[in-house]
Amino acid sequence: MRKKIVAGNWKMNLSREEALLLISGITSRIESKEKQVIFAPPFLYLYKIAKMCSNFNRIKVAAQNCSKEKEGAFTGEVSAKMIDSCNADYIIIGHSERREYFNESNMDLKEKVDRALENKLDVIFCCGESLNQRKNEVHFSWIRKQLSDSLFHLNAIDFSNIVIAYEPIWAIGTGVTASTNQAQEMHAFIRSCITEKHDTEVAEKTSILYGGSCNPSNSNELFAQEDIDGGLIGGASLNANDFLAIINSF
Ligand code: PGA
């Protein structure tokens, strides 16, 4: 059975005090035993939050990015090795904000994926199309290219450490969510690309999360779709009640 996952991507939000309050507000009230919950705080709080979550089997911690370099003279960068030494479990790689504002190419992301896996970290790999690409009906080929350029060099064993997050750019932080049909259709397509590259067994084991204005009022319907295995949540992960409601909406 595929892992059901709800991950909160805090992006560049919350002071240290606010972050710690949010974590204790959520961990003290989590009931679900069968879902995996992931917090992706800014780097600065990673070590502390990993420590706070270490008593909870089902709670994992993710970094929001890593350097494609292993180590060395790269002022301001953070390596996968550092992230691993702070006891994180995952790295989010290829978020559309990183692709767009920091010019991260599919080839850069491929290197980042390799750095994460070398350090025994799992990857939440984000893919997604712009509104124009959807209007021009190139969204399927675009997603296939994102996957094949950055992930399809991996063998099946390494691929088992990859979670995919489909995040249509036009739905991120906009309040516009993909319809359940649009989301399910793309998730099924992503799974078919994995089947083509590997086989059905690998594809059936890969968790594919939806991201983009997911909130307590739409998560239920989205997560009920056959190929949607949970969510990567931005805005709504900053509020304990909303995030808990999303976790409980499976
Ligand atoms: P959003 O962000 O939930 O605020 O739309 C999702 C994401 O960017 O991961």
Side-chain angles (χ1 to χ4, degrees):
M1 237 210 15
R2 295 197 283 276
K3 248 185 265 164
K4 301 276 181 199
I5 299 173
V6 179
N9 175 12
W10 293 359
K11 308 189 180 183
M12 198 174 71
N13 290 299
L14 305 177
S15 69
R16 187 171 180 274
E17 288 74 20
E18 289 165 340
L20 301 187
L21 264 179
L22 179 60
I23 284 287
S24 26
I26 296 171
T27 52
S28 59
R29 289 159 62 202
I30 275 186
E31 285 158 15
S32 155
K33 298 262 182 294
E34 70 282 356
K35 279 155 249 167
Q36 187 170 99
V37 174
I38 303 174
F39 294 108
F43 286 133
L44 284 172
Y45 317 148
L46 209 54
Y47 179 68
K48 174 74 180 168
I49 287 177
K51 207 162 188 185
M52 287 173 83
C53 295
S54 61
N55 290 335
F56 301 87
N57 253 346
R58 309 295 299 180
I59 302 181
K60 306 286 178 196
V61 175
Q64 298 174 15
N65 176 36
C66 71
S67 172
K68 66 178 184 178
E69 306 295 342
K70 289 188 182 176
E71 62 184 349
F74 300 101
T75 301
E77 286 291 88
V78 174
S79 71
K81 189 174 172 185
M82 293 170 185
I83 293 166
D84 176 49
S85 74
C86 288
N87 300 327
D89 308 281
Y90 284 90
I91 307 182
I92 298 175
I93 292 178
H95 191 283
S96 64
E97 288 150 18
R98 302 283 331 164
R99 292 175 187 266
E100 189 178 341
Y101 308 143
F102 302 95
N103 298 319
E104 294 187 358
S105 68
N106 288 351
M107 287 305 132
D108 294 329
L109 301 175
K110 177 185 180 197
E111 290 186 57
K112 292 186 181 211
V113 167
D114 289 342
R115 294 298 86 76
L117 298 183
E118 280 161 17
N119 286 281
K120 307 274 173 279
L121 289 155
D122 287 356
V123 170
I124 300 175
F125 181 83
C126 303
C127 56
E129 82 286 356
S130 67
L131 194 54
N132 260 344
Q133 287 168 325
R134 183 164 275 270
K135 282 186 181 152
N136 292 327
E137 295 180 7
V138 294
H139 47 303
F140 291 115
S141 55
W142 179 255
I143 300 290
R144 184 201 294 275
K145 185 160 171 53
Q146 288 185 323
L147 299 174
S148 65
D149 283 359
S150 308
L151 290 182
F152 285 175
H153 63 296
L154 301 174
N155 63 30
I157 295 172
D158 285 341
F159 198 83
S160 67
N161 299 307
I162 306 290
V163 169
I164 292 175
Y166 168 58
E167 300 204 303
I169 299 170
W170 45 274
I172 297 178
T174 57
V176 180
T177 321
S179 70
T180 46
N181 285 347
Q182 287 171 322
Q184 165 56 30
E185 184 186 36
M186 185 57 86
H187 282 231
F189 174 75
I190 291 170
R191 211 176 294 290
S192 76
C193 293
I194 304 171
T195 305
E196 250 171 54
K197 165 66 196 167
H198 293 287
D199 54 36
T200 321
E201 201 190 329
V202 174
E204 284 303 319
K205 279 189 188 151
T206 306
S207 297
I208 307 177
L209 315 183
Y210 170 79
S213 299
C214 189
N215 60 49
S217 56
N218 58 32
S219 51
N220 212 315
E221 208 184 325
L222 284 161
F223 296 173
Q225 303 304 306
E226 191 175 335
D227 288 290
I228 302 184
D229 305 306
L232 178 54
I233 320 298
S237 73
L238 300 171
N239 176 294
N241 289 338
D242 285 354
F243 195 56
L244 281 161
I246 295 172
I247 295 169
N248 291 330
S249 65
F250 276 103

